[in-house]
Amino acid sequence: MFGYGDREQRGHGRWIQYIFETALIIAVSGYLIRLGVRFFLEVWWVLLIIAAVITGAAIGWHIWKNRHGDRW
C-alpha cells in the first residue's frame, strides 16, 4: 500500500491509490484528534489541580527560602 518505490504503476491506478491513502490518513488523523480532545476535556480539571499544587509548592518554597535565608 505505501510502497511507492517497489512498483512502477502507471495510469489511473496510481492516482486512485494516492487519493485513497490521503483520505485514509486524513480520516485517521481526524479520529485521533477528536479522541485527544475528548480525553483532554475529561481530565482538564485534574491537570488544573496538579498545576495549582505545583505552583503553590514553588511559591511556598520561595517564601520559605526568603524568610530563612540560606541557613537552616
Side-chain angles (χ1 to χ4, degrees):
M1 180 176 194
F2 294 101
Y4 297 112
D6 297 336
R7 292 177 281 159
E8 290 290 330
Q9 282 188 344
R10 302 204 184 261
H12 300 293
R14 181 177 57 146
W15 293 108
I16 292 172
Q17 181 181 355
Y18 289 155
I19 291 171
F20 175 73
E21 288 177 5
T22 303
L24 183 67
I25 290 170
I26 290 172
V28 169
S29 298
Y31 174 74
L32 291 176
I33 289 170
R34 188 175 67 182
L35 195 65
V37 167
R38 286 185 179 178
F39 175 76
F40 180 75
L41 290 176
E42 288 288 327
V43 300
W44 70 269
W45 58 275
V46 175
L47 298 175
L48 185 65
I49 291 171
I50 292 171
V53 167
I54 291 173
T55 303
I59 291 171
W61 181 73
H62 279 289
I63 291 172
W64 182 83
K65 187 177 176 185
N66 284 336
R67 286 193 179 178
H68 293 286
D70 288 335
R71 64 189 190 294
W72 283 89

